[in-house]
Amino acid sequence: MSAKKLSVKMFGKFSVKYGERVITFGRQGDSKFGQLFQILMTKPGQGFSKRNIAEALYDWDKVEYLNASLNNTIFRLRKYLEASPLPPGEYLVLNGGVLQFGGEVEVESDVWEFENAAQEFREEQDRWKKAGLCEKCSELYQGEFLPHLSNEQWVIDKSQNYQKLYFEMMEYLFCFLKEEGNYGRLEKLSERAAQLYPYEGWEVWRIESLIAQNRHEEARELYQKIITDMRRTGFFLPKERREQMNKIGDRICRLEGAEEEIRKCLIETVAGQGAYSCTLQSFLDCFRMVKRVIKRETVHFYLILCTILDNNGQPVNNCKNCEKREKKLCEVFRTHLRLGDIYAKYCEGQYLLLCLGMEKEDTSEIGERIDMDFRKRCGGRGGISCRLMDGS
């Protein structure tokens, strides 16, 4: 067997080499005998029925003598190969209505290697080996299958199948690289995938890889470029892709690990005196956190329920009066409670108060102080009932 190989590439563009010599099909690559060669090279050494070849190459309604036309195409390809740099030999073997590319020359076909690797990928169980097969397919897949013949139905069918396999394996490979923390490789492969298939979600993988590498400014610039390009071209993303871009956009706005952004988030927007006011849900979170802390440190805390009373000493039930008195009570909290204390509205006319680092006997004094100041602010009317609750 000759040491030279017949190398055929059909992803991204069509090219044929025998050893170092180029076999130039030129415009003949679009001809019927050129397409016949390409069909045979999708599975070199494998048999193709003449019927299937004829269905791919010819429009049945327009070709009167189908078998004769195919025989003529085979004859023309045979003559072309005889005149090529290939060594003499019988390359087109026809047996019982089945045609195959034979001869003594070893053939390398990128699409055949790709298809075999994809089949191995689906059968392989080891995740590292599966990832390796994906890497191999990524290197083989240099673009659409025979793009210059994109109007031919047989090319369309194969192209769609190859693209589906490529997407499947890249999705697996990118998940694998993310799990392994190999964000450098993920960035390069996702960039290439995005070049081949823009706006199919590969850009999101690349942005995520940049963020994971703390290259936040590059991630932000890439996101802005994608959005700008889509607006300029009027490209409209489907719902799933739109949601992906929105999510990554939210992450860009609050980049993980950006210290300046974090510091801004931590600063109190309205710093004031007295106890800290928060929502009920935030109060509950603080309370539960405090309970966890005191399990390892000796810190006393007390939970107090403050109820606004009317002139008869009953819980106030007039909504209009209640709203005014709630504002007065919050003023009392800010005046008489410490910065480390926390309060939140529990329901209409009732507030929860969390006092940290004090003794139990001090809680009654706090309650009296709150009630007294509240009465002064309300002109001696109403009052506040402060009841110590069991927070265990």
Side-chain angles (χ1 to χ4, degrees), residues 289-314:
M289 189 62 218
V290 168
K291 286 187 66 176
R292 288 171 177 247
V293 170
I294 64 171
K295 289 184 178 180
R296 62 175 186 269
E297 296 182 18
T298 307
V299 179
H300 296 296
F301 77 98
Y302 295 97
L303 182 64
I304 300 173
L305 177 64
C306 300
T307 304
I308 300 175
L309 306 176
D310 60 19
N311 296 339
N312 298 318
Q314 299 297 317

Side-chain angles (χ1 to χ4, degrees), residues 70-89:
L70 181 54
N71 286 336
N72 181 58
T73 300
I74 295 172
F75 174 79
R76 291 183 63 201
L77 177 58
R78 184 176 283 121
K79 287 296 182 182
Y80 188 86
L81 295 175
E82 288 175 0
S84 75
L86 288 173

Side-chain angles (χ1 to χ4, degrees), residues 309-323:
L309 306 176
D310 60 19
N311 296 339
N312 298 318
Q314 299 297 317
V316 67
N317 55 20
N318 185 303
C319 291
K320 187 175 181 180
N321 289 338
C322 190
E323 185 178 347

Side-chain angles (χ1 to χ4, degrees), residues 82-138:
E82 288 175 0
S84 75
L86 288 173
E90 183 65 30
Y91 294 105
L92 299 184
V93 180
L94 185 58
N95 186 14
V98 175
L99 181 68
Q100 71 178 70
F101 189 90
E104 296 298 314
V105 174
E106 184 178 353
V107 181
E108 284 185 344
S109 164
D110 58 351
V111 295
W112 185 226
E113 284 188 61
F114 178 89
E115 198 166 333
N116 285 327
Q119 184 61 35
E120 286 184 56
F121 162 77
R122 288 183 164 176
E123 295 172 357
E124 182 59 62
Q125 298 300 315
D126 183 272
R127 59 191 294 269
W128 283 90
K129 291 181 180 179
K130 285 176 78 75
L133 290 165
C134 291
E135 287 261 15
K136 179 180 180 180
C137 286
S138 174

